[in-house]
Amino acid sequence: MRSRVLGRCLARTAAVLTAAVALAVTAAPLTGTAQAHEAVTGSLSFSGEPGEYISGGESHTYTPGTTEMFDISGPVSESAVGATIVTPEGERWFLHMGAPYGQKLTAGTTYTNASSWPDAGPEDPQLQFSVTDRYCESGTGSFTVSHIVYGPYGYIREIDATFERYCSGSTLPVRGELHARMPEPPAELAIGMSLNSTGEVDTRTGQITVGGSVTCNKPARITLTASAYQIQKRGTATGSYEDLVVVCEPGAPVPWTVSFPSNIDPTATFQPGAAVLRGVGRADDRDYPVTVDTGFPSTDITLVKS
């Protein structure tokens, strides 16, 4: 059991690098970040006639339960699907099917005259099928997407497709089918910010201390920026603090405080009295290729002498 778990970890580590290279080579024209998730159920089956290069003239069927990895990936644009399968023997199969540039993969559509990048033009579908030590830089084929369901940001929840590819002018095709059902997609990250209505000011230095709290629906590292200004008779005090990192866990608001003087083209220093506090927080969603923010809350505050 331990060796199988270790095998999965090694396979996944290697496949992260392989998938990054394969996506860069095979799907370079696509926009958006490809995200990979392991299928719960499904299969990749294919066969080739004797002499067909990629399949070696053999037939194979792989499932999530019999492989070290069975990952399905897709870009945010919903324009492609990729499958990376790593066998217990260490073979890494890679399938890529992409719609013409600017189009989404659509259920019930057959894509003909498909080729692989860089041969494929913007108007062409893209198709690539390869294994660790056998790869065709050029080839033609077609594929049919009979069923596809998306989640947030291009997350592929379900996919059923068939494909046929001829390698480098060969008359011998490899034919296959991809079926996969994915886990329920993770929740999208949501973060919020509240600002305290009071702050402190050191009248000797003009430095203020202000704060608030942040919330999140799943763990996140939130980078905060706070700014304040105070209109006075003889000028305006304006200052900010950037790049405060708050580690947020769901369940309760996480407090934060920052201190800063009037450091943005100051014409005055902060003094006790009324001021305005603004804030913004941003965090990367660990499950999706997206950065979310808190909006830009603003509130009137009262600065008191520290």
Side-chain angles (χ1 to χ4, degrees):
M1 180 66 161
R2 182 178 178 181
S3 62
R4 181 169 178 80
V5 172
L6 178 59
R8 279 185 173 271
C9 292
L10 293 174
R12 180 166 295 279
T13 300
V16 167
L17 298 175
T18 300
V21 174
L23 284 165
V25 172
T26 306
L30 299 179
T31 58
T33 302
Q35 48 185 316
H37 300 273
E38 190 159 8
V40 175
T41 62
S43 64
L44 172 68
S45 59
F46 58 89
S47 62
E49 298 179 19
E52 197 282 317
Y53 177 62
I54 298 298
S55 67
E58 299 179 351
S59 299
H60 293 281
T61 297
Y62 298 112
T63 65
T66 60
T67 55
E68 300 297 333
M69 175 187 290
F70 198 113
D71 275 8
I72 303 298
S73 61
V76 173
S77 59
E78 300 182 0
S79 58
V81 60
T84 302
I85 287 83
V86 179
T87 71
E89 296 75 29
E91 284 191 321
R92 185 172 291 104
W93 294 91
F94 179 75
L95 171 66
H96 170 83
M97 296 175 286
Y101 181 78
Q103 298 182 26
K104 294 183 179 182
L105 282 183
T106 306
T109 302
T110 296
Y111 297 87
T112 58
N113 299 319
S115 55
S116 56
W117 187 86
D119 292 339
E123 72 282 0
D124 298 323
Q126 298 181 36
L127 175 63
Q128 180 60 267
F129 185 59
S130 61
V131 67
T132 306
D133 56 353
R134 296 189 299 279
Y135 174 85
C136 292
E137 290 190 356
S138 62
T140 59
S142 63
F143 61 93
T144 298
V145 178
S146 56
H147 176 74
I148 190 167
V149 177
Y150 292 101
Y153 302 105
Y155 182 99
I156 297 177
R157 302 182 65 173
E158 302 176 0
I159 178 68
D160 296 295
T162 59
F163 65 92
E164 176 182 270
R165 189 169 192 269
Y166 296 83
C167 183
S168 301
S170 172
T171 59
L172 302 175
V174 56
R175 297 184 176 94
E177 298 183 9
L178 174 66
H179 306 280
R181 298 296 181 268
M182 310 300 291
E184 282 297 308
E188 300 174 57
L189 176 63
I191 59 176
M193 174 186 284
S194 64
L195 302 174
N196 296 338
S197 60
T198 60
E200 295 183 346
V201 58
D202 186 333
T203 54
R204 294 172 302 169
T205 63
Q207 180 167 278
I208 62 173
T209 299
V210 294
S213 62
V214 292
T215 58
C216 54
N217 64 335
K218 60 183 182 181
R221 289 174 59 86
I222 304 176
T223 301
L224 303 179
T225 295
S227 64
Y229 70 91
Q230 183 182 53
I231 300 176
Q232 303 170 7
K233 290 182 179 180
R234 290 178 290 181
T236 300
T238 307
S240 70
Y241 188 101
E242 299 180 357
D243 298 332
L244 172 69
V245 176
V246 178
V247 178
C248 183
E249 294 288 341
V254 180
W256 58 269
T257 59
V258 292
S259 299
F260 53 88
S262 180
N263 55 16
I264 304 177
D265 297 328
T267 57
T269 58
F270 287 110
Q271 300 294 330
V276 175
L277 176 64
R278 293 171 174 168
V280 63
R282 291 186 173 86
D284 293 332
D285 192 322
R286 65 180 187 175
D287 296 307
Y288 301 109
V290 64
T291 299
V292 299
D293 63 53
T294 60
F296 296 85
S298 176
T299 188
D300 295 329
I301 64 171
T302 300
L303 296 175
V304 298
K305 184 177 180 180
S306 62

